[in-house]
């Protein structure tokens, strides 16, 4: 009955396959434990609490060589998150611009974007990372080139950014009225000003949603939608501007003193090269996704918008792209996942991410290769599932609503 009865047959096969998979997993685990015992090893994560004994150039949280391997892995994870988040944001912007530009009626712009897309898509990412890093280390001037009344090198972006062969000096934020920081423990602090901005922006976003809901209700009831852009703009910007005025936020530009720039933030060139290469490489793939999404929309949609008097720019923003998102978002999720996992190539330029700390120096020092690899696999799995879940929520909001 369990095999020939249609009511139970599918469940029977699922149970059999589950038992076989669990048996295979048990055999693999047991075989691994026996092999480790034969080598005089055990499966233990106690090494995470031992002294790391190595330095990390770029540390978003306080760290020294006397800290534990666990803290070193945390620093590596934060470095991975920094380059991944910045890369996803920048690659999305580059990809959207390049994808739209490839469909431009201007022959030169369309062909230039085609060359960019084909060049970056067909050359391995590692080569682009090394090329960009070589440009920064070999072509960029030394910090002392910015010294003197007539320096041989000059800063860019209103004299706020200095590109050197050792690091990139960028401005930082300063506060006249510093409210102090909240101690989270483990030598990790967060500024009260940062918390205030987070609360204000979250409240502004909620208020904007409430205004939009009210406007939609009025439109459904009367047929006329009230003008709400000024209210939405006010609730999103005015509180933040008041906080900027209250805390006295200002930019502290880097200044050359002695042999190095001080006052700002000196970003390791490995991070800049990795971020730029990931952005341009992934942006080329996103450009093709955006182009395909736009081409998937019927030409009649744009023709109808033109017939109503909408300009090409407004047509793209209000008619084409909102519909193209239903085609763009699913493959875009894969590109975000690829960028996050490709950030593990950071070791090629000396940027200590999760692979460089937990899967590199820590693994070699402790000899706990299996534990380190398992932890890395788990972290990347959690990151990938988190990105996928968040983007799928957004995909569910923009997909076509069917009755």
């Amino acid at each position: 009955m369990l095999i020939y009865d249609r009511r139970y047959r599918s469940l029977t096969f699922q149970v059999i396959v589950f038992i076989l998979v669990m048996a295979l997993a048990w055999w693999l685990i047991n075989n691994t434990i026996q092999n480790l015992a034969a080598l005089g090893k055990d499966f233990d994560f106690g090494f995470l609490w031992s002294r790391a004994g190595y330095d990390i150039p770029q540390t978003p949280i306080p760290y020294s060589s006397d800290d534990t391997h666990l803290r070193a892995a945390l620093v590596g994870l934060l470095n991975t998150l920094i380059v991944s988040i910045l890369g996803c944001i920048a690659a999305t912007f580059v990809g959207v611009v390049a994808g739209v530009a490839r469909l431009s009626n201007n022959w030169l712009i369309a062909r230039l974007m085609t060359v960019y897309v084909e060049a970056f898509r067909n050359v391995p990412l590692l080569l682009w990372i090394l090329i960009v890093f070589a440009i920064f280390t070999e072509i960029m001037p030394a910090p002392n080139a910015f010294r003197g009344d007539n320096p041989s090198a000059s800063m860019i972006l209103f004299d706020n950014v200095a590109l050197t062969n050792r690091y990139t000096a960028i401005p930082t934020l300063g506060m006249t009225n510093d409210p102090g920081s909240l101690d989270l423990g483990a030598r990790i602090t967060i500024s009260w000003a940062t918390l205030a901005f987070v609360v204000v922006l979250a409240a502004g976003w909620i208020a904007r949603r409430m205004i939009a809901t009210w406007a939609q209700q009025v439109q459904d009831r009367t047929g006329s939608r009230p003008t709400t852009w000024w209210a939405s703009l006010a609730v999103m910007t005015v509180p933040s501007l008041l906080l900027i005025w209250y805390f006295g936020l200002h930019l502290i530009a880097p200044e050359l003193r002695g042999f190095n720039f001080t006052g700002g933030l000196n970003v390791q060139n490995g991070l800049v090269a990795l971020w730029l290469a990931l952005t341009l490489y992934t942006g080329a793939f996103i450009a093709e996704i955006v182009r395909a999404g736009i081409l998937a929309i019927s030409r009649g949609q744009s023709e109808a918008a033109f017939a109503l008097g909408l300009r090409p720019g407004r047509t793209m923003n209000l008619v084409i792209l909102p519909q193209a998102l239903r085609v763009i978002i699913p493959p875009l999720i894969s590109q975000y996942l690829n960028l996050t996992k490709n950030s593990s190539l950071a070791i090629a330029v000396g940027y200590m991410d999760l692979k460089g700390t937990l899967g590199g120096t820590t693994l070699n020092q402790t000899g706990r290769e299996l534990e380190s690899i398992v932890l890395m696999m788990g972290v990347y799995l959690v990151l990938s599932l988190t990105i996928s879940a968040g983007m799928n929520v957004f995909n569910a909001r923009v997909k076509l609503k069917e009755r």
Side-chain angles (χ1 to χ4, degrees), residues 33-77:
I33 294 175
Q34 291 180 1
N35 290 334
L36 288 174
L39 296 174
K41 293 184 177 182
D42 58 353
F43 193 75
D44 184 18
F45 293 98
F47 71 95
L48 291 174
W49 284 265
S50 60
R51 180 177 178 271
Y54 62 91
D55 294 321
I56 300 177
Q58 199 82 38
T59 56
I61 61 175
Y63 171 82
S64 68
S65 58
D66 292 326
D67 286 319
T68 63
H69 287 291
L70 178 61
R71 192 174 185 86
L74 178 60
V75 172
L77 173 60

Side-chain angles (χ1 to χ4, degrees), residues 141-148 151-156 161-164 256 261:
N144 58 14
F146 295 85
R147 181 182 292 111
S152 58
S154 59
M155 301 175 68
I156 61 175
V161 177
L163 302 175
T164 74
L256 184 62
F261 282 91

Side-chain angles (χ1 to χ4, degrees), residues 173-179 191-204 234-250:
L173 285 176
M175 285 186 291
T176 305
N177 302 319
D178 191 350
S191 173
W192 285 108
T194 302
L195 292 177
F197 276 102
V198 170
V199 172
V200 164
L201 290 176
V235 297
M236 290 297 295
T237 58
V238 172
S240 298
L241 293 176
L242 291 175
L243 285 181
I244 292 174
W245 169 79
Y246 176 77
F247 293 124
L249 287 181
H250 59 279

Side-chain angles (χ1 to χ4, degrees), residues 81-92:
L81 291 176
I82 289 173
V83 72
S84 298
I85 294 173
L86 294 178
C88 288
I89 295 174
T92 302

Side-chain angles (χ1 to χ4, degrees), residues 45-243:
F45 293 98
F47 71 95
L48 291 174
W49 284 265
S50 60
R51 180 177 178 271
Y54 62 91
D55 294 321
I56 300 177
Q58 199 82 38
T59 56
I61 61 175
Y63 171 82
S64 68
S65 58
D66 292 326
D67 286 319
T68 63
H69 287 291
L70 178 61
R71 192 174 185 86
L74 178 60
V75 172
L77 173 60
L78 292 177
N79 285 339
T80 296
L81 291 176
I82 289 173
V83 72
S84 298
I85 294 173
L86 294 178
C88 288
I89 295 174
T92 302
F93 175 78
V94 171
V96 171
V97 172
V100 174
R102 282 204 68 183
L103 299 173
S104 173
N105 293 326
N106 188 303
W107 184 89
L108 180 60
I109 293 177
R111 293 304 177 272
L112 286 176
M113 291 300 101
T114 300
V115 171
Y116 155 68
V117 169
E118 296 301 330
F120 275 89
R121 288 182 67 198
N122 293 288
V123 175
L125 173 59
L126 180 58
L127 293 182
W128 284 118
I129 294 175
L130 295 177
I131 289 172
V132 176
F133 185 68
I135 292 174
F136 273 90
T137 55
E138 300 297 334
I139 298 179
M140 295 302 172
N144 58 14
F146 295 85
R147 181 182 292 111
D149 295 332
N150 295 311
S152 58
S154 59
M155 301 175 68
I156 61 175
L157 296 179
F158 306 103
D159 292 335
N160 285 320
V161 177
L163 302 175
T164 74
N165 58 359
R166 296 209 308 251
Y167 51 76
T168 299
I170 62 175
T172 57
L173 285 176
M175 285 186 291
T176 305
N177 302 319
D178 191 350
S181 302
L182 173 65
D183 188 2
L184 301 178
R187 305 202 325 270
I188 300 176
T189 60
I190 182 171
S191 173
W192 285 108
T194 302
L195 292 177
F197 276 102
V198 170
V199 172
V200 164
L201 290 176
W205 181 80
I206 294 174
R208 187 182 67 84
R209 292 293 302 273
M210 294 176 63
I211 292 173
T213 302
W214 170 79
Q216 186 64 44
Q217 292 175 351
V218 172
Q219 182 179 0
D220 294 340
R221 187 172 61 252
T222 64
S224 176
R225 188 178 184 88
T227 303
T228 60
W229 65 266
W230 58 270
S232 300
L233 181 63
V235 297
M236 290 297 295
T237 58
V238 172
S240 298
L241 293 176
L242 291 175
L243 285 181

